[in-house]
Amino acid sequence: MARTRDQDACPGALTVHQAADGALVRIRLPGGMITAAQLTAVAEVAERFGSPAMELTSRGNIQIRGLTDTDSAATALADAGLLPSPTHERARNIVASPLSGRSGGIIDLRPLVTELDDAIQADPALAGLPGRFWFSLDDGRGDVSGIDADAGVHARDDGTCALLLAGRDTGVRLDSGDEVTTLIAVARRFVAIRGKAWRITELDDHSALLDGLTASAPAGATWPPTVQPPVGWIEQRDARVALGAAVPLGVLPARTAHFLAAIEAPLVITPWRSVLVCDVSDGVADASLRVLAPLGLVFDENSPWLRVSACTGSPGCAKSAADVRADAAEAVHTPAEGDSAGPRRETHRHFVGCERACGSPPVGEVLVATEDGYRLRIAPP
């Protein structure tokens, strides 16, 4: 599908989007990784200059809405090390298996996240990547390969990685050490041929992106999408603990962020709008649970909050026909019509305020607000 304008309006920390509730910025976190000090800085920016209700995105980033002083906000974020490249800040879209190197998976992808991020920033051509183009690094467990990123790698048992385009295996196998150079080459080719396309799926022909690469295996394999985040007490391979905390509707109050940061542990924002608190001892994990759960974070994998989501809706979005977050929250405790399972139903429901269906997951029901309530959107967004 051809776009009507050459550049998308995807926000960044410097590329401000003017929403109905004021200026909005998005802070890219490659691999979702953020330090405690950086999360504190983001929370302070939200409290001082914008809405203290921060938003976690489906790409593991953080948004701040209602900003009144975008210059001061950008300065504070840069001082925290969250804007290492002003020219490439919207291009640093990297999603990786959040528990990689700590629990499960075939390989530890964390060094690849850093290497890929550095390579993106070092390539002047990649400043031209649209803000919607993104990379995925899957450590073999299959949790992020199903999110249909533009270009990605998926670790295999034989020590190679499969090269993915638009979430599909190309049949190209990459040896260890070749992953980043190959992804950068694909991205450079996309910039050169994209025209007005923002995503690889919008190209009529993907073959030019694979110039010089030879498939050695059947192509076309896909992975089922993951919708539910890792939550609760997660044993790490080093005998320490990671705590998985779901964030209802992806809204993280700055006050709660301060409590998360106070643990002084590495943090990961996941593509499922949740937070991982990593590398803590049993004692710290137990104490943290007792503090964080009463703040509204969810550690129960059976919680109905894990099966409902929503776009921003009113009043933040002028296009929205309803306060979809309020309606989604009510739906957590209210059975859907004809649904005997009640609030513990298994089908994921995503509430949206208009046909754009922002943030819709790849599976489940998408409910579009109308003047007469909600209607089920049949076609995927």
Side-chain angles (χ1 to χ4, degrees), residues 236-251:
Q236 296 185 177
R237 62 184 56 158
D238 61 1
R240 292 184 291 181
V241 174
L243 290 177
V247 179
L249 302 180
V251 179

Side-chain angles (χ1 to χ4, degrees), residues 34-107:
I34 185 170
T35 67
Q38 288 173 331
L39 183 59
T40 295
V42 175
E44 289 176 348
V45 167
E47 290 171 324
R48 292 179 60 194
F49 307 117
S51 167
M54 303 184 297
E55 297 176 338
L56 308 186
T57 79
S58 59
R59 298 187 178 187
N61 300 318
I62 299 178
Q63 292 185 165
I64 303 175
R65 309 185 68 89
L67 283 168
T68 57
D69 188 342
T70 55
D71 289 341
S72 294
T75 298
L77 295 172
D79 289 345
L82 291 164
L83 289 176
S85 172
T87 56
H88 290 68
E89 60 110 359
R90 292 200 315 157
R92 302 169 65 233
N93 293 308
I94 305 170
V95 173
S97 299
L99 284 166
S100 188
R102 293 186 168 101
S103 175
I106 296 173
I107 62 174

Side-chain angles (χ1 to χ4, degrees), residues 270-344:
T270 80
W272 310 286
R273 299 182 174 93
S274 69
V275 182
L276 288 170
V277 182
C278 304
D279 304 344
V280 295
S281 66
D282 287 4
V284 170
D286 184 67
S288 299
L289 278 172
R290 295 174 186 275
V291 172
L292 297 174
L295 295 174
L297 297 180
V298 176
F299 297 92
D300 178 7
E301 64 180 8
N302 295 311
S303 171
W305 281 113
L306 274 62
R307 292 180 288 279
V308 66
S309 56
C311 71
T312 297
S314 300
C317 178
K319 297 182 182 296
S320 179
D323 185 348
V324 295
R325 283 181 175 162
D327 292 339
E330 182 179 355
V332 167
H333 304 294
T334 304
E337 183 178 353
D339 181 13
S340 60
R344 294 185 64 82

Side-chain angles (χ1 to χ4, degrees), residues 6-376:
D6 184 55
Q7 292 290 342
D8 71 313
C10 194
L14 302 176
T15 305
V16 178
H17 171 69
Q18 291 297 332
D21 56 351
L24 178 152
V25 298
R26 181 176 301 158
I27 302 130
R28 269 34 177 218
L29 304 175
M33 296 184 290
I34 185 170
T35 67
Q38 288 173 331
L39 183 59
T40 295
V42 175
E44 289 176 348
V45 167
E47 290 171 324
R48 292 179 60 194
F49 307 117
S51 167
M54 303 184 297
E55 297 176 338
L56 308 186
T57 79
S58 59
R59 298 187 178 187
N61 300 318
I62 299 178
Q63 292 185 165
I64 303 175
R65 309 185 68 89
L67 283 168
T68 57
D69 188 342
T70 55
D71 289 341
S72 294
T75 298
L77 295 172
D79 289 345
L82 291 164
L83 289 176
S85 172
T87 56
H88 290 68
E89 60 110 359
R90 292 200 315 157
R92 302 169 65 233
N93 293 308
I94 305 170
V95 173
S97 299
L99 284 166
S100 188
R102 293 186 168 101
S103 175
I106 296 173
I107 62 174
D108 183 354
L109 286 173
R110 289 174 292 177
L112 279 183
V113 173
T114 302
E115 184 182 347
L116 178 57
D117 186 27
D118 290 344
I120 292 169
Q121 296 178 58
D123 193 323
L126 297 190
L129 275 177
R132 297 179 187 270
F133 186 102
W134 54 327
F135 302 87
S136 65
L137 303 176
D138 194 302
D139 66 4
R141 77 185 72 213
D143 58 348
V144 300
S145 286
I147 60 178
D148 297 342
D150 292 278
V153 294
H154 184 101
R156 293 166 39 85
D157 289 327
D158 63 4
T160 67
C161 281
L163 175 65
L164 279 55
L165 291 184
R168 291 185 174 273
D169 187 351
T170 62
V172 174
R173 298 293 176 258
L174 304 175
D175 292 328
S176 177
D178 293 338
E179 302 94 344
V180 169
T181 54
T182 302
L183 290 173
I184 292 296
V186 168
R188 285 180 61 89
R189 291 172 190 140
F190 176 76
V191 170
I193 69 172
R194 74 179 186 89
K196 293 185 178 182
W198 299 343
R199 302 287 310 280
I200 281 181
T201 53
E202 297 168 14
L203 296 177
D204 293 330
D205 183 8
H206 300 172
S207 60
L209 301 177
L210 298 175
D211 283 351
L213 300 171
T214 302
S216 58
T222 60
W223 286 261
T226 297
V227 176
Q228 186 161 313
V231 297
W233 188 287
I234 302 167
E235 297 285 351
Q236 296 185 177
R237 62 184 56 158
D238 61 1
R240 292 184 291 181
V241 174
L243 290 177
V247 179
L249 302 180
V251 179
L252 180 65
R255 178 173 180 268
T256 304
H258 282 300
F259 278 94
L260 284 165
I263 303 170
E264 297 187 342
L267 300 156
V268 180
I269 308 300
T270 80
W272 310 286
R273 299 182 174 93
S274 69
V275 182
L276 288 170
V277 182
C278 304
D279 304 344
V280 295
S281 66
D282 287 4
V284 170
D286 184 67
S288 299
L289 278 172
R290 295 174 186 275
V291 172
L292 297 174
L295 295 174
L297 297 180
V298 176
F299 297 92
D300 178 7
E301 64 180 8
N302 295 311
S303 171
W305 281 113
L306 274 62
R307 292 180 288 279
V308 66
S309 56
C311 71
T312 297
S314 300
C317 178
K319 297 182 182 296
S320 179
D323 185 348
V324 295
R325 283 181 175 162
D327 292 339
E330 182 179 355
V332 167
H333 304 294
T334 304
E337 183 178 353
D339 181 13
S340 60
R344 294 185 64 82
R345 71 203 304 267
E346 292 302 320
T347 302
H348 189 97
R349 286 180 287 176
H350 183 70
F351 290 74
V352 297
C354 72
E355 281 292 339
R356 294 184 305 166
C358 294
S360 295
V363 296
E365 298 175 353
V366 177
L367 302 171
V368 183
T370 70
E371 294 181 356
D372 301 318
Y374 287 86
R375 65 171 180 80
L376 183 63

